[in-house]
């Protein structure tokens, strides 16, 4: 009974959900009915089941609830067990498998009838097998999606699009400013620009709403990044604690030490890579309020 469901393929649409949470909610929903019939519930996710599944969690929850209510309604007041697992023969083919066992009569009452209709609508399969002695096991197998694995770069871009925020890019080179600002704005950040250290200090100290982080060039005429950072660190309150990330072509260990000693939080070398910028920002930006 296992193999013929997999040709449907994984359910690619839907939301990411946790099967353990789904069972906890189902248990809470049917608990009053189970207690009234003297039925003990034993619901569990089998080891090795992914903690995240992709699918129509509302439909899956309705199926589980319908099966449980049907079994409770026709139970002989004995324990009822339900086990949830996932079977998969490739990343593109997976099925959710639910096995519910107990001493109940598997008749087409309200709950089981609902479950059969829901299963049929979603290309799933519901079968019933007798247990040795007495009782039944209902098996439900339906297509489900597995979350795709993201690369580190993809994960960081996803984080940036969710996090967003206001950043200040400081560089005396117009080209460098545009490149860095472009990398960041494309993933959802709002970017302000400063042509040197003096402008950076003013942007942090005097703006009605200061930026959430500063990406600071180091070697600049007039006020360089080191001096600008030291001045910002002398400010009182949150403005003096704003994350400052060095973005510099100076890649020697002593350059990094000098930046950190001045009060910078992190260090990214030029030519800049978006993944490096985002990784540094993720380390220092607080979650949005």
């Amino acid at each position: 009974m296992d193999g013929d469901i997999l040709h449907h393929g994984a359910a690619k649409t839907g939301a990411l959900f946790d099967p353990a949470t789904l069972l906890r909610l189902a248990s809470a929903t049917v608990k009053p009915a189970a207690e009234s019939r003297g039925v003990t519930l034993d619901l569990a996710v089998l080891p090795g089941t992914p903690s995240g599944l992709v699918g129509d969690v509302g439909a899956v929850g309705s199926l589980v609830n319908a099966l449980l209510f049907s079994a409770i309604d026709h139970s002989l007041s004995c324990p009822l067990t339900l086990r949830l697992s996932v079977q998969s023969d490739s990343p593109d083919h997976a099925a959710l498998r639910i096995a519910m066992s107990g001493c109940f009569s598997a008749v087409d009452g309200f709950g089981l009838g609902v479950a059969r209709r829901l299963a049929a609508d979603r290309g799933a399969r519901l079968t019933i097998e007798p247990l040795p002695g007495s009782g039944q096991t209902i098996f439900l197998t339906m297509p489900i999606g597995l979350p795709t694995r993201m690369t580190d770069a993809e994960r960081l871009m996803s984080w940036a699009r969710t996090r967003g925020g206001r950043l200040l890019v400081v560089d005396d080179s117009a080209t460098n400013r545009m490149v860095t600002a472009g990398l960041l704005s494309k993933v959802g950040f709002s970017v302000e620009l400063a042509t040197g250290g003096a402008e950076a200090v003013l942007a942090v100290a005097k703006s009605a709403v200061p930026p959430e982080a500063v990406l600071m060039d180091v070697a600049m005429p007039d006020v360089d990044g080191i001096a600008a950072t030291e001045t910002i660190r002398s400010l009182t309150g949150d403005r003096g604690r704003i994350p400052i990330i060095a973005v510099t072509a100076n890649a020697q260990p002593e350059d990094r030490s000098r930046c950190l000693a001045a009060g910078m939080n992190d260090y990214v070398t030029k030519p800049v890579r978006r993944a490096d910028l985002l990784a540094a920002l993720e380390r220092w930006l607080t979650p949005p309020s």
Side-chain angles (χ1 to χ4, degrees):
M1 64 167 278
D2 295 343
D4 60 348
I5 191 66
L6 293 180
H7 75 276
H8 292 285
K12 291 298 185 183
T13 60
L16 184 70
F17 68 93
D18 175 15
T21 300
L22 183 144
L23 288 193
R24 284 196 295 272
L25 292 173
S27 179
T29 300
V30 304
K31 185 177 179 180
E35 290 178 343
S36 70
R37 296 296 298 261
V39 176
T40 301
L41 297 175
D42 179 9
L43 282 57
V45 177
L46 291 182
T49 302
S51 59
L53 301 174
V54 179
D56 185 344
V57 64
V60 176
S62 296
L63 274 165
V64 171
N65 289 345
L67 290 174
L68 289 169
F69 276 121
S70 178
I72 292 167
D73 191 44
H74 297 90
S75 175
L76 303 177
S77 300
C78 63
L80 178 62
T81 66
L82 184 147
R83 297 292 181 262
L84 184 151
S85 61
V86 169
Q87 59 185 85
S88 175
D89 57 9
S90 78
D92 294 323
H93 295 86
L96 179 71
R97 179 178 169 87
I98 295 169
M100 185 180 68
S101 301
C103 53
F104 52 85
S105 57
V107 298
D108 268 330
F110 171 74
L112 190 55
V114 170
R116 286 187 186 279
R117 290 194 297 274
L118 283 170
D121 288 344
R122 285 158 179 80
R125 180 179 177 182
L126 192 151
T127 60
I128 303 170
E129 295 182 5
L131 287 172
S134 64
Q136 311 279 341
T137 297
I138 295 179
F139 293 98
L140 172 71
T141 314
M142 66 182 297
I144 200 73
L146 299 178
T148 51
R149 290 189 183 207
M150 288 192 287
T151 64
D152 285 343
E154 290 170 335
R155 184 192 63 77
L156 285 166
M157 290 179 69
S158 177
W159 167 82
R161 292 188 180 102
T162 302
R163 172 57 171 80
R166 298 173 60 251
L167 306 176
L168 176 65
V169 172
V170 186
D171 201 302
D172 62 311
S173 164
T175 299
N176 290 341
R177 289 195 302 272
M178 292 300 104
V179 168
T180 304
L183 292 174
L184 296 169
S185 61
K186 285 181 180 178
V187 292
F189 286 105
S190 174
V191 181
E192 301 173 19
L193 303 176
T195 61
E199 282 188 28
V201 171
L202 284 174
V204 173
K206 301 298 184 182
S207 295
V209 180
E212 295 179 70
V214 178
L215 297 166
M216 182 81 76
D217 188 20
V218 174
M220 296 182 289
D222 189 16
V223 178
D224 65 17
I226 298 295
T229 297
E230 291 173 339
T231 303
I232 292 171
R233 289 292 176 248
S234 70
L235 300 174
T236 59
D238 291 340
R239 294 175 192 254
R241 295 188 293 270
I242 189 169
I244 301 175
I245 299 164
V247 182
T248 177
N250 300 327
Q252 299 303 313
E254 57 269 24
D255 297 315
R256 178 183 178 87
S257 298
R258 185 165 164 255
C259 290
L260 298 179
M264 293 184 178
N265 299 86
D266 219 320
Y267 186 97
V268 175
T269 58
K270 296 177 181 178
V272 294
R273 296 172 59 249
R274 178 158 45 204
D276 294 337
L277 290 173
L278 296 183
L281 288 167
E282 185 187 37
R283 286 192 288 271
W284 297 103
L285 282 179
T286 59
S289 57

